[in-house]
């Protein structure tokens, strides 16, 4: 049974892919999440169905009234009542985490229509406030999510301790409950074999480098998500400043690597990009991973002004549409893997037609 | 247990991940974990939470009062939610906000390693100035603990067929539960 609100969301453009942002040739998107819990309530892991459902009802109620969410109309989802395909779709949009693929009772999502401000309810914590925007703009989105947090804290009794800060189910999120991250497209550093050193450097600085879907996911399409690990012992602004300075350096390195490739190995670079473009344009069967990796090369080509007929927004849209659940939403029916590979190739040929 | 990679050093990091519904567990020493963090997809998610699995061992060696802590740890239990040290170690998660008081001793060492400090320097909830909510929580914890104690005693009395004392306790529990509900009127839902 198709869910109308999910289908409406599918047709709604995603702000962090369609809008422009600072440094968006390298920084795809910036994200901040805040973990919050309600005092006097056990954390979701220890709670029961009745309490979890009551928490969801109450959080949904508060969010319906919140001014920060009101800029556009919001959509609410009882994630535990959605089909598996719909949940995968939400994961591909980065609106829910992997944990929500197997949701507990009372799991919920409230998002604004642009999908730039949203709240997961009863994931690991009672609330996970999230903001997502195009490009590299951590300070701006911090102000935005802090405003929503202030507003919610007037109505919801957040579990808070003067010494420990915001109390979270996992001690790794204790204190600010803040995880900030930027999704970077780093084909230059990959092609010049510098990526290992960068990832090592990032780890040494106490930051994390992860793949496309966050924790536990593989690196696909040369996309790397850089985020803070520590949440206690620094203010939110300090955490963001430390992360932002590292990200600014990575962006500079990536620019240098691209310039180096153009200067010294232009034929190799053009060949790499041109072949990827050919693959995307002329395949009749293509896997999701192969598509994402080729789209990464195509995106680099667009950044380098190699293609007049392809624009960056088409490439961004394709990054999303070639993924399994999006593809099935696009086709309007469920497809097994073999049929998905055929449908994906057809979709790519159509979108890249000159 | 020895590290799965070098088979030499004791495994101190236990990474557990559920990928496509399949549970995978890796047991590694710190050195090998660091070395393989970039190449092994599972280790890219290597979360500092996993350090928690380790806390009894390391505390036992490093802290002066370690021996006592190690033996005492399994019996620590949160009165508010019933979470115990064993569950904490297994999941790396706590059961409720009050658990932070109960497990504070165990946590203090772990937090230092995990974060850049052990004191919160960030923002405060908007209407926290009054602090009345914290007081409520503390009172609630005390009430819940009393109820749990009474219930335990009640079970013993019934087992010993001491029905008069049991009846008194039953009334006492009713009273305490009423008080807890009264305290909880600010809560999202009444129990
Ligand atoms: Zn080893
Ligand atoms: Zn507890």
């Amino acid at each position: 049974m198709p869910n109308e609100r999910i289908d409406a969301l599918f047709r709604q453009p995603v702000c962090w892919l369609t809008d422009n942002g600072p440094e968006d040739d390298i920084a795809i998107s910036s994200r901040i999440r805040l973990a919050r819990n309600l005092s006097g309530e056990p954390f979701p892991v220890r709670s029961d169905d009745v309490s979890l459902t009551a928490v969801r009802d109450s959080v949904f109620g508060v969010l319906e009234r919140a001014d920060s969410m009101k800029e556009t109309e919001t959509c609410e989802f009882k994630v535990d009542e959605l089909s598996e395909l719909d949940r995968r779709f939400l994961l591909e949009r980065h609106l829910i985490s992997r944990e929500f693929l197997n949701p507990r009772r009372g799991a919920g999502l409230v998002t604004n229509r642009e999908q730039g401000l949203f709240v997961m309810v009863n994931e690991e914590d009672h609330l996970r406030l999230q903001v997502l925007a195009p490009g590299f703009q951590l300070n701006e989105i911090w102000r935005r999510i802090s405003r929503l947090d202030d507003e919610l804290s007037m109505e919801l009794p957040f579990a808070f301790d003067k010494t420990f800060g915001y109390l979270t189910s996992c001690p790794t999120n204790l204190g600010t409950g803040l995880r900030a991250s930027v999704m970077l497209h780093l084909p230059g550093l990959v092609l010049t074999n510098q990526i290992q050193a960068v990832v090592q450097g990032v780890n040494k600085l106490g930051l994390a480098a992860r793949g496309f879907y966050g924790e536990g996911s593989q690196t696909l399409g040369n996309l790397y998500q850089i985020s803070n690990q520590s949440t206690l012992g620094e203010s939110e602004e300090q955490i963001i400043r430390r992360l932002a300075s590292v990200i600014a350096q990575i962006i500079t390195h990536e620019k240098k690597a691209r310039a180096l490739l153009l200067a010294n190995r232009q034929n190799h670079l053009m060949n790499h990009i041109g072949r990827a473009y050919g693959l995307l344009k002329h395949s009749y069967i293509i896997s999701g991973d192969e598509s994402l990796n080729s789209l990464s090369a195509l995106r680099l080509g667009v950044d380098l002004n190699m293609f007049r007929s392809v624009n960056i927004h088409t490439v961004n849209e394709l990054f999303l549409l070639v993924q399994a659940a999006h593809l099935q939403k696009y086709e309007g029916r469920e497809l097994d893997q073999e049929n998905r590979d055929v449908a994906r190739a057809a979709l790519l040929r159509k979108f890249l037609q000159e | 247990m020895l590290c799965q990679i070098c088979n030499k050093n004791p495994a101190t990091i236990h990474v557990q991940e559920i990928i496509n519904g399949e549970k995978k567990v890796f047991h590694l020493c710190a050195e090998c974990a660091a070395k393989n963090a970039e190449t092994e997809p599972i280790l890219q998610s290597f979360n500092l939470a996993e350090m928690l699995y380790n806390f009894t061992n390391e505390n036992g060696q490093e802290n002066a009062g370690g021996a006592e802590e190690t033996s005492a740890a399994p019996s620590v239990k949160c009165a508010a939610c019933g979470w115990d040290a064993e569950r904490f170690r297994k999941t790396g998660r706590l059961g409720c906000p009050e658990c932070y008081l109960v497990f504070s001793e165990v946590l203090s060492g772990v937090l230092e390693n995990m974060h850049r400090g052990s004191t919160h320097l960030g923002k405060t909830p908007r209407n926290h100035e009054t602090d009345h909510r914290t007081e409520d929580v503390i009172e609630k914890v005390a009430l819940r603990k009393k109820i749990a104690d009474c219930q335990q005693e009640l079970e013993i009395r019934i087992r010993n067929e001491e029905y008069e004392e049991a009846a008194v306790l039953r009334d006492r529990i009713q009273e305490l539960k009423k008080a807890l509900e009264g305290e909880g009127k600010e809560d999202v839902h009444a129990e």
Side-chain angles (χ1 to χ4, degrees), chain A residues 95-111:
Chain A
L95 289 168
I96 63 170
S97 62
R98 267 158 190 269
E99 194 175 311
F100 262 19
L101 289 181
N102 302 303
R104 53 169 66 84
R105 277 294 301 275
L109 168 73
V110 180
T111 174

Side-chain angles (χ1 to χ4, degrees), chain A residues 41 43 46 58 124 146 149-150 153-154 157 160 163 165-166 168-169 171-172 175 200 216 230-233 236 242, chain B residues 38 45 49 81 83 87 92-97 100 115-116 119-128 133 188-189:
Chain A
E41 281 284 333
F43 298 136
R46 188 56 179 159
S58 124
E124 188 178 289
S146 184
D149 176 45
D150 286 342
S153 75
M154 300 296 285
F160 182 84
T163 310
Y166 291 92
T168 53
S169 184
T172 51
Q200 271 169 11
S230 162
T231 56
L232 187 66
E236 291 87 352
R242 202 157 55 79
Chain B
E38 301 89 46
S45 73
C81 76
W83 205 249
R87 279 186 170 127
R93 308 282 186 276
L94 292 166
C96 79
Y100 276 95
H115 297 290
R116 299 215 144 201
T119 309
H120 178 59
L121 297 176
K123 66 189 286 192
T124 302
R126 261 300 166 84
N127 53 357
H128 193 74
R133 290 212 158 95
V188 173
H189 73 101

Side-chain angles (χ1 to χ4, degrees), chain B residues 75-89:
Chain B
S75 64
V76 178
K77 198 167 178 175
C78 173
C81 76
W83 205 249
D84 56 30
E86 184 57 29
R87 279 186 170 127
F88 179 26
R89 191 163 32 235

Side-chain angles (χ1 to χ4, degrees), chain B residues 128-168:
Chain B
H128 193 74
E129 283 78 34
T130 51
D131 239 1
H132 64 280
R133 290 212 158 95
T134 316
E135 280 162 30
D136 278 353
V137 169
I138 290 165
E139 244 175 270
K140 247 169 120 173
V141 176
L143 279 170
R144 284 203 175 134
K145 187 161 167 24
K146 264 184 213 154
I147 293 172
D149 288 347
C150 286
Q151 264 162 347
Q152 210 170 23
E153 208 192 331
L154 177 66
E155 272 167 40
I156 296 166
R157 296 287 183 185
I158 290 172
R159 214 179 302 140
N160 297 341
E161 301 181 16
E162 298 167 325
Y163 294 114
E164 264 181 43
E165 287 87 337
V168 174

Side-chain angles (χ1 to χ4, degrees), chain A residues 255-304:
Chain A
K255 282 182 181 161
K256 275 189 198 151
R258 291 184 186 186
L260 200 75
L261 283 167
L262 269 180
N264 300 340
R265 291 167 61 196
Q266 191 173 5
N267 286 335
H268 282 94
L269 183 65
M270 300 299 228
N271 182 52
H272 172 74
I273 296 168
R275 279 168 180 257
Y277 185 43
L279 198 72
L280 292 166
K281 240 182 113 166
H282 298 294
S283 288
Y284 281 79
I285 296 173
I286 190 165
S287 74
D289 287 7
E290 193 173 20
S291 310
L292 286 176
N293 287 328
S294 303
L295 282 167
S296 161
L298 181 60
R299 196 180 202 278
L300 179 60
V302 173
D303 289 339
L304 299 175

Side-chain angles (χ1 to χ4, degrees), chain A residues 179-184 198-211 214-215 224-230 242-243 246-247 250, chain B residues 37 43-48:
Chain A
R179 183 88 65 232
S181 66
V182 177
M183 182 78 80
L184 296 172
V198 169
V199 168
Q200 271 169 11
V202 163
N203 289 339
K204 274 203 193 102
L205 292 166
L207 303 172
R210 300 196 168 100
E215 274 185 36
Y224 292 83
Q225 190 178 298
I226 315 293
S227 63
N228 66 301
Q229 296 261 37
S230 162
R242 202 157 55 79
L243 177 67
V246 173
I247 288 175
I250 299 176
Chain B
L43 288 175
Q44 284 170 4
S45 73
F46 164 59
N47 190 304
L48 288 169

